[in-house]
mmCIF file of all heavy atoms in Angstrom:
data_model
loop_
_atom_site.group_PDB
_atom_site.id
_atom_site.type_symbol
_atom_site.label_atom_id
_atom_site.label_comp_id
_atom_site.label_asym_id
_atom_site.label_seq_id
_atom_site.Cartn_x
_atom_site.Cartn_y
_atom_site.Cartn_z
ATOM 1 N N ALA F 143 -3.606 -20.356 1.861
ATOM 2 C CA ALA F 143 -4.121 -19.410 0.874
ATOM 3 C C ALA F 143 -5.528 -18.951 1.223
ATOM 4 O O ALA F 143 -5.834 -17.753 1.133
ATOM 5 C CB ALA F 143 -4.096 -20.042 -0.526
ATOM 6 N N ALA F 177 -0.038 6.238 7.514
ATOM 7 C CA ALA F 177 -1.155 5.312 7.431
ATOM 8 C C ALA F 177 -1.806 5.332 6.056
ATOM 9 O O ALA F 177 -2.209 4.290 5.524
ATOM 10 C CB ALA F 177 -2.207 5.669 8.497
ATOM 11 N N LEU F 337 17.944 -3.944 6.206
ATOM 12 C CA LEU F 337 18.223 -5.130 5.386
ATOM 13 C C LEU F 337 17.475 -5.032 4.043
ATOM 14 O O LEU F 337 18.053 -5.304 2.975
ATOM 15 C CB LEU F 337 17.819 -6.395 6.113
ATOM 16 C CG LEU F 337 17.927 -7.708 5.344
ATOM 17 C CD1 LEU F 337 19.356 -7.962 4.890
ATOM 18 C CD2 LEU F 337 17.412 -8.874 6.180
ATOM 19 N N LEU F 463 -9.705 -11.132 -7.376
ATOM 20 C CA LEU F 463 -9.785 -9.889 -8.120
ATOM 21 C C LEU F 463 -11.115 -9.713 -8.842
ATOM 22 O O LEU F 463 -11.357 -8.674 -9.452
ATOM 23 C CB LEU F 463 -8.649 -9.810 -9.136
ATOM 24 C CG LEU F 463 -7.225 -9.799 -8.561
ATOM 25 C CD1 LEU F 463 -6.202 -9.852 -9.695
ATOM 26 C CD2 LEU F 463 -7.001 -8.555 -7.722
ATOM 27 N N ALA F 586 -26.093 1.768 -22.530
ATOM 28 C CA ALA F 586 -27.482 2.181 -22.365
ATOM 29 C C ALA F 586 -28.393 0.984 -22.361
ATOM 30 O O ALA F 586 -28.213 0.032 -23.129
ATOM 31 C CB ALA F 586 -27.874 3.147 -23.500
#
Side-chain angles (χ1 to χ4, degrees):
L337 175 60
L463 297 175

